[in-house]
Amino acid sequence: MAEDKLHIRLHVYDEEIEVTVRREDEEFYRSAAKLITDRYNAYAQAYKGRKNEHIISLMTLVDIALLYQKERSHNDTAPYDNVLTRLTKEIEEALGTSR
């Protein structure tokens, strides 16, 4: 079964980009383009005349990657899984039901 794809145009900062996306991801792509544009504009305004476009682009990428990494760390369930496993083992040992 072929995936349902769309050809869309995204406005990213001062460029129009054509991309093919899965229909269910369209809004994520549009939101991402807006986030990039907003962050780039903020850096461009703050560093106007002091930093070149390449540096502003890199600053934008780092800013967005930082947001991603922070969000990703909030979704890391490994520490909780480890605690639950340890507690389950202790409870089973206390009840004499450990395997």
XYZ file of all heavy atoms in Angstrom:
822
model
N 0.839 -1.173 0.000
C 0.000 0.000 0.000
C 0.889 1.243 0.000
O 1.757 1.404 0.842
C -0.892 -0.024 1.237
C -1.859 1.102 1.304
S -3.132 0.624 2.478
C -3.280 2.096 3.386
N 0.712 2.097 -0.959
C 1.528 3.305 -1.077
C 1.123 4.313 -0.008
O -0.042 4.454 0.325
C 1.354 3.915 -2.460
N 2.128 4.991 0.518
C 1.847 6.019 1.516
C 1.206 7.228 0.861
O 1.480 7.538 -0.295
C 3.142 6.445 2.207
C 3.643 5.444 3.198
C 4.768 6.017 4.028
O 4.602 7.109 4.577
O 5.804 5.349 4.103
N 0.397 7.906 1.617
C -0.265 9.104 1.147
C 0.711 10.273 1.289
O 1.012 10.709 2.394
C -1.523 9.334 1.978
C -2.484 10.301 1.339
O -2.281 10.662 0.167
O -3.436 10.701 2.023
N 1.244 10.759 0.174
C 2.265 11.809 0.182
C 1.708 13.107 -0.394
O 0.807 13.090 -1.215
C 3.476 11.381 -0.656
C 4.120 10.107 -0.201
C 5.370 10.390 0.510
C 6.058 9.086 0.874
N 7.361 9.287 1.363
N 2.287 14.198 0.059
C 1.929 15.533 -0.439
C 3.184 16.256 -0.886
O 4.247 16.100 -0.291
C 1.311 16.375 0.684
C -0.057 16.053 1.204
C -0.364 16.942 2.397
C -1.081 16.274 0.122
N 3.049 17.063 -1.903
C 4.113 17.984 -2.306
C 3.702 19.348 -1.751
O 2.648 19.867 -2.103
C 4.240 18.046 -3.834
C 4.618 16.737 -4.443
N 5.902 16.240 -4.394
C 3.885 15.812 -5.091
C 5.932 15.071 -4.989
N 4.720 14.788 -5.427
N 4.546 19.884 -0.872
C 4.217 21.175 -0.268
C 5.383 22.133 -0.436
O 6.516 21.728 -0.680
C 3.849 21.043 1.226
C 5.022 20.496 2.056
C 2.597 20.186 1.401
C 4.777 20.496 3.552
N 5.066 23.405 -0.295
C 6.076 24.459 -0.312
C 6.146 25.046 1.081
O 5.128 25.424 1.656
C 5.704 25.542 -1.315
C 5.732 25.064 -2.762
C 5.228 26.149 -3.697
N 6.078 27.321 -3.651
C 7.004 27.617 -4.570
N 7.160 26.838 -5.607
N 7.730 28.706 -4.468
N 7.350 25.093 1.617
C 7.563 25.670 2.938
C 8.312 26.980 2.800
O 9.272 27.079 2.028
C 8.384 24.720 3.813
C 7.774 23.372 4.132
C 8.782 22.508 4.886
C 6.506 23.535 4.942
N 7.886 27.952 3.554
C 8.611 29.221 3.609
C 9.519 29.159 4.833
O 9.048 29.089 5.961
C 7.640 30.400 3.723
C 8.346 31.708 3.794
N 8.877 32.313 2.685
C 8.634 32.513 4.839
C 9.448 33.449 3.045
N 9.321 33.584 4.357
N 10.823 29.108 4.583
C 11.806 29.048 5.659
C 12.711 30.265 5.524
O 13.453 30.391 4.546
C 12.639 27.750 5.610
C 13.644 27.708 6.751
C 11.737 26.531 5.641
N 12.591 31.162 6.490
C 13.276 32.451 6.502
C 12.977 33.185 5.207
O 11.874 33.654 5.020
C 14.773 32.295 6.781
C 15.475 33.623 6.894
C 15.022 34.589 7.787
C 16.557 33.924 6.097
C 15.651 35.827 7.880
C 17.192 35.158 6.193
C 16.737 36.097 7.078
O 17.347 37.306 7.164
N 13.934 33.263 4.293
C 13.690 34.018 3.052
C 13.704 33.103 1.820
O 13.938 33.550 0.717
C 14.696 35.156 2.902
C 16.135 34.690 2.787
O 16.383 33.487 2.983
O 17.009 35.521 2.514
N 13.446 31.813 2.042
C 13.468 30.834 0.957
C 12.163 30.053 0.904
O 11.522 29.841 1.925
C 14.605 29.819 1.160
C 15.992 30.402 1.129
C 16.457 30.773 -0.258
O 15.977 30.164 -1.239
O 17.301 31.668 -0.362
N 11.809 29.627 -0.302
C 10.704 28.697 -0.494
C 11.328 27.341 -0.795
O 12.177 27.227 -1.681
C 9.812 29.126 -1.666
C 9.005 30.367 -1.408
C 7.883 30.183 -0.398
O 7.312 29.077 -0.320
O 7.600 31.146 0.327
N 10.909 26.325 -0.059
C 11.462 24.988 -0.220
C 10.328 24.037 -0.572
O 9.305 24.011 0.111
C 12.135 24.524 1.086
C 13.268 25.472 1.467
C 12.643 23.095 0.956
C 13.837 25.207 2.845
N 10.520 23.265 -1.633
C 9.533 22.254 -2.006
C 9.957 20.926 -1.417
O 11.105 20.507 -1.577
C 9.424 22.156 -3.526
C 8.783 23.373 -4.149
C 8.513 23.192 -5.636
O 8.304 22.045 -6.069
O 8.510 24.207 -6.334
N 9.033 20.267 -0.724
C 9.316 18.968 -0.130
C 8.128 18.039 -0.331
O 6.999 18.484 -0.523
C 9.633 19.077 1.383
C 10.928 19.801 1.625
C 8.515 19.759 2.136
N 8.421 16.757 -0.304
C 7.386 15.734 -0.345
C 7.315 15.132 1.047
O 8.333 14.686 1.583
C 7.722 14.654 -1.387
O 7.869 15.289 -2.667
C 6.632 13.602 -1.465
N 6.127 15.144 1.625
C 5.952 14.687 3.004
C 4.778 13.727 3.100
O 3.896 13.721 2.238
C 5.725 15.882 3.955
C 6.893 16.850 3.899
C 4.427 16.605 3.651
N 4.776 12.933 4.145
C 3.594 12.124 4.420
C 2.480 13.073 4.866
O 2.738 14.047 5.575
C 3.883 11.103 5.521
C 4.887 10.060 5.101
C 5.097 9.005 6.141
N 5.036 9.561 7.495
C 5.392 8.916 8.582
N 5.840 7.696 8.501
N 5.314 9.483 9.767
N 1.287 12.795 4.446
C 0.150 13.665 4.739
C 0.021 13.934 6.239
O -0.211 15.058 6.661
C -1.138 13.054 4.189
C -2.353 13.955 4.335
C -3.585 13.385 3.661
N -3.432 13.241 2.221
C -3.620 14.221 1.326
N -3.968 15.421 1.734
N -3.460 13.986 0.049
N 0.219 12.905 7.064
C 0.053 13.095 8.509
C 1.169 13.932 9.132
O 1.050 14.397 10.257
C -0.082 11.757 9.245
C 1.151 10.889 9.204
C 1.102 9.825 8.125
O 0.315 9.929 7.164
O 1.887 8.877 8.243
N 2.277 14.166 8.392
C 3.388 14.965 8.901
C 3.364 16.412 8.412
O 4.204 17.211 8.823
C 4.724 14.334 8.496
C 4.975 13.022 9.211
O 4.345 12.783 10.263
O 5.804 12.232 8.710
N 2.419 16.750 7.558
C 2.410 18.085 6.960
C 2.442 19.194 8.008
O 3.257 20.121 7.917
C 1.186 18.277 6.061
C 1.118 19.683 5.478
C -0.148 19.969 4.695
O -1.089 19.127 4.713
O -0.204 21.046 4.065
N 1.598 19.109 9.005
C 1.535 20.183 10.005
C 2.833 20.284 10.803
O 3.261 21.370 11.181
C 0.344 19.978 10.938
C -0.006 21.220 11.729
C -0.245 22.459 10.859
O -0.879 22.338 9.796
O 0.214 23.556 11.245
N 3.505 19.149 11.026
C 4.793 19.172 11.719
C 5.845 19.905 10.885
O 6.645 20.679 11.418
C 5.272 17.750 12.034
C 4.416 17.040 13.037
C 3.682 15.936 12.657
C 4.331 17.466 14.359
C 2.887 15.261 13.571
C 3.538 16.816 15.280
C 2.812 15.703 14.888
N 5.839 19.661 9.581
C 6.773 20.356 8.692
C 6.506 21.856 8.693
O 7.432 22.670 8.741
C 6.685 19.811 7.266
C 7.529 18.586 7.041
C 7.010 17.313 7.280
C 8.837 18.691 6.589
C 7.784 16.182 7.071
C 9.609 17.567 6.380
C 9.076 16.310 6.628
O 9.844 15.194 6.426
N 5.247 22.226 8.638
C 4.902 23.650 8.629
C 5.287 24.312 9.953
O 5.816 25.420 9.976
C 3.428 23.837 8.315
C 3.091 23.376 6.887
C 1.758 23.885 6.411
N 1.425 23.325 5.109
C 1.922 23.731 3.943
N 2.807 24.718 3.915
N 1.551 23.174 2.810
N 5.056 23.620 11.051
C 5.453 24.151 12.359
C 6.967 24.269 12.470
O 7.484 25.241 13.033
C 4.922 23.251 13.478
O 3.531 23.271 13.522
N 7.680 23.283 11.934
C 9.141 23.319 11.964
C 9.675 24.496 11.158
O 10.592 25.198 11.597
C 9.709 22.006 11.435
N 9.092 24.722 9.985
C 9.520 25.856 9.151
C 9.281 27.173 9.868
O 10.127 28.075 9.838
C 8.777 25.829 7.818
N 8.161 27.282 10.562
C 7.858 28.513 11.308
C 8.835 28.691 12.470
O 9.335 29.794 12.709
C 6.428 28.493 11.824
C 6.050 29.778 12.559
C 4.610 29.789 12.960
C 4.158 31.025 13.683
N 5.126 31.956 14.175
N 9.137 27.605 13.179
C 10.096 27.684 14.282
C 11.461 28.142 13.784
O 12.084 29.033 14.371
C 10.217 26.315 14.967
C 11.290 26.199 16.050
C 10.995 27.131 17.211
C 11.398 24.758 16.520
N 11.924 27.560 12.694
C 13.219 27.943 12.128
C 13.210 29.421 11.748
O 14.134 30.168 12.079
C 13.566 27.073 10.902
C 13.811 25.633 11.331
C 14.781 27.634 10.150
C 13.832 24.638 10.185
N 12.163 29.843 11.075
C 12.056 31.238 10.640
C 12.040 32.184 11.832
O 12.760 33.196 11.858
C 10.792 31.430 9.775
O 10.909 30.577 8.629
C 10.637 32.869 9.328
N 11.246 31.860 12.837
C 11.153 32.721 14.024
C 12.483 32.821 14.749
O 12.911 33.916 15.142
C 10.083 32.201 14.986
C 8.675 32.348 14.450
O 8.476 33.062 13.448
O 7.756 31.719 15.042
N 13.159 31.677 14.948
C 14.446 31.695 15.659
C 15.517 32.408 14.838
O 16.314 33.165 15.367
C 14.907 30.267 16.001
C 13.989 29.511 16.942
C 13.611 30.270 18.221
N 14.753 30.781 18.906
C 14.771 31.935 19.597
N 13.691 32.672 19.693
N 15.851 32.350 20.197
N 15.529 32.165 13.528
C 16.512 32.833 12.672
C 16.298 34.346 12.728
O 17.254 35.117 12.873
C 16.425 32.334 11.231
C 17.567 32.847 10.381
C 18.682 32.077 10.161
C 17.524 34.133 9.813
C 19.742 32.544 9.394
C 18.573 34.603 9.054
C 19.678 33.816 8.851
O 20.727 34.301 8.109
N 15.058 34.775 12.616
C 14.758 36.206 12.671
C 15.201 36.828 13.994
O 15.715 37.951 14.016
C 13.268 36.458 12.444
C 12.868 36.310 10.997
O 13.675 36.470 10.085
N 11.613 35.967 10.765
N 15.008 36.103 15.091
C 15.427 36.622 16.396
C 16.939 36.815 16.440
O 17.434 37.861 16.895
C 14.971 35.683 17.504
N 17.679 35.824 15.964
C 19.142 35.951 15.948
C 19.595 37.011 14.949
O 20.520 37.783 15.221
C 19.812 34.609 15.637
C 19.874 33.703 16.841
C 19.089 32.569 16.919
C 20.713 33.994 17.909
C 19.136 31.734 18.020
C 20.771 33.179 19.019
C 19.978 32.053 19.073
O 20.033 31.242 20.176
N 18.966 37.056 13.794
C 19.342 38.052 12.784
C 19.149 39.460 13.324
O 19.980 40.348 13.093
C 18.527 37.844 11.509
N 18.062 39.666 14.044
C 17.800 40.993 14.612
C 18.792 41.314 15.729
O 19.308 42.435 15.817
C 16.375 41.058 15.146
C 15.984 42.427 15.637
C 14.517 42.485 16.039
O 13.873 41.468 16.240
N 13.998 43.689 16.144
N 19.085 40.346 16.569
C 19.997 40.580 17.696
C 21.437 40.819 17.241
O 22.171 41.580 17.883
C 19.947 39.389 18.653
N 21.848 40.178 16.153
C 23.241 40.262 15.714
C 23.413 40.949 14.372
O 24.432 40.771 13.705
C 23.856 38.855 15.668
C 23.948 38.246 17.045
C 23.014 37.301 17.463
C 24.938 38.642 17.935
C 23.081 36.751 18.732
C 25.015 38.092 19.197
C 24.077 37.153 19.599
O 24.153 36.617 20.850
N 22.432 41.755 13.995
C 22.462 42.475 12.720
C 23.768 43.268 12.575
O 24.126 44.052 13.443
C 21.276 43.431 12.659
C 21.036 44.052 11.330
C 19.818 44.946 11.408
C 19.111 44.991 10.089
N 17.868 45.758 10.182
N 24.483 42.990 11.493
C 25.722 43.718 11.210
C 26.932 43.199 11.963
O 28.050 43.617 11.690
N 26.728 42.307 12.928
C 27.857 41.800 13.714
C 28.214 40.356 13.373
O 29.334 39.929 13.601
C 27.557 41.910 15.206
C 27.350 43.351 15.638
C 27.204 43.497 17.117
N 26.484 42.382 17.734
C 25.747 42.488 18.810
N 25.603 43.638 19.409
N 25.140 41.435 19.322
N 27.239 39.591 12.880
C 27.473 38.184 12.525
C 26.986 37.960 11.104
O 26.005 38.552 10.669
C 26.693 37.238 13.453
C 26.966 37.412 14.922
C 28.226 36.714 15.314
C 28.402 36.818 16.825
N 29.720 36.448 17.258
N 27.677 37.076 10.382
C 27.242 36.785 9.012
C 26.110 35.755 9.022
O 25.803 35.148 10.046
C 28.420 36.352 8.137
C 29.037 35.040 8.572
O 28.354 34.121 8.989
N 30.359 34.954 8.458
N 25.499 35.548 7.855
C 24.346 34.645 7.752
C 24.691 33.216 8.144
O 23.863 32.516 8.738
C 23.766 34.684 6.336
C 23.022 35.955 6.031
C 22.345 35.925 4.667
O 22.209 34.824 4.080
O 21.950 36.996 4.196
N 25.889 32.783 7.816
C 26.296 31.418 8.159
C 26.297 31.226 9.677
O 25.766 30.232 10.190
C 27.668 31.116 7.566
C 28.165 29.739 7.873
N 27.634 28.614 7.287
C 29.131 29.310 8.728
C 28.250 27.547 7.762
N 29.164 27.944 8.628
N 26.890 32.152 10.401
C 26.948 32.063 11.862
C 25.542 32.134 12.452
O 25.202 31.379 13.365
C 27.846 33.171 12.460
C 29.290 32.992 11.984
C 27.761 33.202 13.976
C 29.943 31.699 12.413
N 24.701 33.003 11.923
C 23.320 33.110 12.409
C 22.577 31.796 12.161
O 21.823 31.331 13.029
C 22.602 34.312 11.770
C 23.211 35.607 12.322
C 21.101 34.263 12.024
C 22.735 36.870 11.645
N 22.817 31.172 11.012
C 22.196 29.871 10.730
C 22.656 28.822 11.739
O 21.845 28.031 12.239
C 22.546 29.403 9.319
O 21.976 30.257 8.368
N 23.950 28.804 12.035
C 24.464 27.833 13.002
C 23.910 28.089 14.397
O 23.569 27.145 15.123
C 25.996 27.868 13.020
C 26.681 27.365 11.754
C 28.185 27.565 11.847
C 26.340 25.914 11.482
N 23.808 29.344 14.784
C 23.226 29.681 16.080
C 21.776 29.209 16.152
O 21.330 28.687 17.185
C 23.324 31.194 16.325
C 24.753 31.673 16.499
S 24.904 33.467 16.450
C 24.257 33.905 18.051
N 21.053 29.357 15.059
C 19.665 28.897 14.990
C 19.598 27.386 15.142
O 18.766 26.863 15.898
C 19.026 29.329 13.656
O 19.092 30.750 13.540
C 17.589 28.874 13.553
N 20.477 26.669 14.444
C 20.510 25.212 14.543
C 20.822 24.752 15.963
O 20.186 23.825 16.482
C 21.545 24.629 13.578
C 21.174 24.648 12.112
C 22.374 24.262 11.256
C 20.020 23.705 11.854
N 21.782 25.386 16.593
C 22.140 25.010 17.963
C 20.965 25.274 18.903
O 20.645 24.447 19.768
C 23.413 25.751 18.431
C 23.634 25.583 19.922
C 24.622 25.262 17.649
N 20.306 26.401 18.729
C 19.151 26.748 19.566
C 18.055 25.684 19.442
O 17.527 25.194 20.447
C 18.624 28.119 19.153
C 17.532 28.640 20.061
O 17.521 28.295 21.259
O 16.690 29.409 19.581
N 17.737 25.298 18.225
C 16.681 24.306 18.001
C 17.135 22.923 18.471
O 16.342 22.174 19.067
C 16.245 24.308 16.528
C 15.545 25.639 16.232
C 15.336 23.131 16.215
C 15.274 25.904 14.784
N 18.399 22.586 18.263
C 18.915 21.298 18.740
C 18.867 21.245 20.265
O 18.573 20.189 20.845
C 20.336 21.076 18.238
N 19.129 22.357 20.923
C 19.045 22.419 22.380
C 17.612 22.149 22.845
O 17.385 21.368 23.778
C 19.524 23.775 22.886
C 19.424 24.008 24.391
C 20.321 23.036 25.149
C 19.790 25.438 24.715
N 16.643 22.775 22.189
C 15.239 22.510 22.514
C 14.923 21.026 22.358
O 14.258 20.422 23.204
C 14.310 23.326 21.607
C 14.278 24.833 21.791
C 13.459 25.474 20.680
C 13.707 25.181 23.146
N 15.389 20.445 21.275
C 15.170 19.027 20.998
C 15.788 18.158 22.090
O 15.157 17.232 22.596
C 15.746 18.661 19.626
C 15.771 17.182 19.372
C 14.617 16.506 18.999
C 16.949 16.461 19.509
C 14.636 15.137 18.770
C 16.978 15.098 19.289
C 15.820 14.436 18.923
O 15.851 13.092 18.714
N 17.037 18.437 22.444
C 17.727 17.632 23.455
C 17.048 17.735 24.817
O 16.920 16.735 25.530
C 19.198 18.047 23.567
C 20.031 17.683 22.371
C 20.101 16.186 22.129
O 19.987 15.375 23.035
N 20.265 15.802 20.872
N 16.605 18.932 25.178
C 15.894 19.098 26.449
C 14.600 18.288 26.448
O 14.286 17.606 27.420
C 15.592 20.570 26.717
C 16.791 21.362 27.167
C 16.391 22.792 27.445
C 17.536 23.601 27.987
N 17.122 24.988 28.281
N 13.847 18.374 25.369
C 12.589 17.628 25.269
C 12.860 16.129 25.279
O 12.146 15.361 25.921
C 11.837 18.028 24.001
C 10.478 17.407 23.870
C 9.516 17.789 24.972
O 9.615 18.901 25.517
O 8.651 16.949 25.303
N 13.887 15.727 24.580
C 14.244 14.307 24.521
C 14.599 13.777 25.902
O 14.232 12.656 26.253
C 15.417 14.140 23.561
C 15.791 12.730 23.287
C 16.846 12.703 22.194
N 17.322 11.356 22.031
C 18.552 11.042 21.709
N 19.437 11.994 21.487
N 18.908 9.799 21.579
N 15.300 14.566 26.707
C 15.680 14.117 28.042
C 14.461 13.973 28.950
O 14.460 13.153 29.861
C 16.699 15.071 28.671
O 16.081 16.279 29.068
N 13.414 14.728 28.693
C 12.190 14.622 29.485
C 11.443 13.336 29.166
O 10.621 12.886 29.966
C 11.263 15.815 29.221
C 11.784 17.090 29.770
N 11.214 17.740 30.832
C 12.848 17.845 29.414
C 11.895 18.832 31.102
N 12.892 18.909 30.249
N 11.685 12.765 28.005
C 10.982 11.558 27.580
C 11.792 10.295 27.803
O 11.371 9.220 27.395
C 10.612 11.668 26.093
C 9.590 12.749 25.863
O 8.733 12.988 26.698
N 9.671 13.409 24.730
N 12.946 10.411 28.458
C 13.790 9.255 28.708
C 13.216 8.470 29.884
O 13.225 8.927 31.021
C 15.220 9.701 29.007
C 16.165 8.527 29.211
O 15.765 7.383 28.923
O 17.296 8.761 29.667
N 12.717 7.283 29.616
C 12.086 6.481 30.668
C 13.048 5.491 31.315
O 12.669 4.817 32.277
C 10.875 5.707 30.106
O 11.319 4.835 29.078
C 9.811 6.656 29.584
N 14.269 5.398 30.830
C 15.226 4.420 31.375
C 15.424 4.566 32.886
O 15.402 3.566 33.600
C 16.550 4.507 30.636
N 15.613 5.783 33.425
C 15.780 5.889 34.887
C 14.564 5.350 35.648
O 14.714 4.683 36.670
C 15.956 7.390 35.126
C 16.436 7.933 33.827
C 15.785 7.074 32.778
N 13.371 5.610 35.138
C 12.156 5.116 35.797
C 12.061 3.601 35.690
O 11.678 2.924 36.649
C 10.919 5.775 35.199
C 10.955 7.279 35.283
C 11.168 8.055 34.150
C 10.816 7.925 36.506
C 11.230 9.432 34.235
C 10.881 9.310 36.603
C 11.080 10.059 35.462
O 11.148 11.415 35.546
N 12.400 3.076 34.529
C 12.378 1.631 34.336
C 13.343 0.944 35.299
O 13.016 -0.097 35.880
C 12.733 1.264 32.892
C 11.671 1.682 31.895
O 10.522 1.926 32.306
O 12.009 1.772 30.690
N 14.527 1.533 35.473
C 15.514 0.957 36.380
C 15.017 0.952 37.821
O 15.172 -0.037 38.535
C 16.850 1.711 36.281
C 17.515 1.538 34.942
O 17.247 0.587 34.214
N 18.382 2.469 34.587
N 14.425 2.044 38.253
C 13.895 2.129 39.616
C 12.768 1.133 39.809
O 12.711 0.426 40.826
C 13.428 3.571 39.940
C 12.636 3.616 41.230
C 14.617 4.512 40.016
N 11.860 1.051 38.833
C 10.740 0.111 38.941
C 11.233 -1.334 38.980
O 10.705 -2.157 39.743
C 9.757 0.318 37.796
C 8.908 1.581 37.887
C 8.080 1.754 36.618
C 8.005 1.538 39.102
N 12.219 -1.662 38.185
C 12.775 -3.014 38.184
C 13.385 -3.342 39.542
O 13.155 -4.423 40.099
C 13.833 -3.160 37.067
O 13.208 -2.900 35.814
C 14.453 -4.550 37.058
N 14.151 -2.402 40.086
C 14.789 -2.614 41.393
C 13.734 -2.761 42.494
O 13.802 -3.665 43.322
C 15.723 -1.442 41.707
C 16.541 -1.633 42.976
C 17.496 -0.473 43.170
N 16.794 0.786 42.958
C 16.386 1.591 43.943
N 16.640 1.308 45.178
N 15.748 2.715 43.673
N 12.721 -1.871 42.483
C 11.664 -1.948 43.492
C 10.862 -3.237 43.374
O 10.515 -3.857 44.391
C 10.732 -0.739 43.385
C 11.323 0.597 43.818
C 10.350 1.727 43.500
C 11.675 0.581 45.289
N 10.571 -3.651 42.155
C 9.839 -4.903 41.950
C 10.626 -6.078 42.511
O 10.072 -6.951 43.191
C 9.545 -5.115 40.453
O 8.765 -4.017 39.977
C 8.802 -6.420 40.213
N 11.926 -6.079 42.265
C 12.783 -7.155 42.780
C 12.773 -7.169 44.301
O 12.642 -8.234 44.923
C 14.207 -6.984 42.255
C 15.145 -8.072 42.696
C 16.535 -7.866 42.136
C 17.454 -8.948 42.694
N 18.831 -8.727 42.319
N 12.883 -5.982 44.923
C 12.877 -5.900 46.384
C 11.547 -6.369 46.960
O 11.513 -7.083 47.969
C 13.171 -4.468 46.836
C 14.602 -4.042 46.604
C 14.869 -2.586 46.989
O 14.016 -1.973 47.678
O 15.926 -2.070 46.593
N 10.436 -5.993 46.325
C 9.113 -6.410 46.793
C 8.958 -7.914 46.675
O 8.484 -8.587 47.603
C 8.002 -5.672 46.016
C 7.998 -4.196 46.399
C 6.638 -6.305 46.266
C 7.143 -3.319 45.496
N 9.379 -8.475 45.537
C 9.285 -9.922 45.332
C 10.134 -10.676 46.347
O 9.721 -11.710 46.875
C 9.683 -10.287 43.905
C 8.644 -9.896 42.879
C 9.091 -10.159 41.447
O 10.300 -10.388 41.205
O 8.202 -10.139 40.566
N 11.325 -10.150 46.634
C 12.196 -10.801 47.629
C 11.566 -10.733 49.017
O 11.599 -11.704 49.778
C 13.579 -10.147 47.623
C 14.421 -10.495 46.424
C 15.726 -9.729 46.348
O 15.981 -8.843 47.200
O 16.513 -10.012 45.416
N 10.963 -9.575 49.345
C 10.331 -9.423 50.649
C 9.127 -10.345 50.791
O 8.856 -10.867 51.881
C 9.899 -7.974 50.859
N 8.419 -10.569 49.708
C 7.248 -11.449 49.752
C 7.613 -12.919 49.527
O 6.755 -13.798 49.641
C 6.223 -11.023 48.683
C 5.582 -9.647 48.881
C 4.719 -9.301 47.680
C 4.749 -9.629 50.164
N 8.860 -13.152 49.173
C 9.310 -14.515 48.917
C 8.809 -15.066 47.606
O 8.669 -16.268 47.440
N 8.524 -14.173 46.663
C 8.006 -14.613 45.368
C 8.993 -14.376 44.241
O 8.617 -14.449 43.082
C 6.688 -13.896 45.029
O 6.940 -12.479 44.976
C 5.607 -14.215 46.024
N 10.234 -14.099 44.576
C 11.205 -13.833 43.490
C 11.452 -15.089 42.689
O 11.330 -16.199 43.179
C 12.500 -13.267 44.057
O 13.128 -14.225 44.859
N 11.828 -14.916 41.464
C 12.008 -16.045 40.552
C 13.396 -16.573 40.594
O 14.370 -16.083 40.705
C 11.669 -15.599 39.117
C 10.259 -15.187 39.046
C 9.963 -14.547 37.731
N 8.647 -13.919 37.874
C 8.110 -13.139 36.996
N 8.722 -12.870 35.898
N 6.944 -12.626 37.177
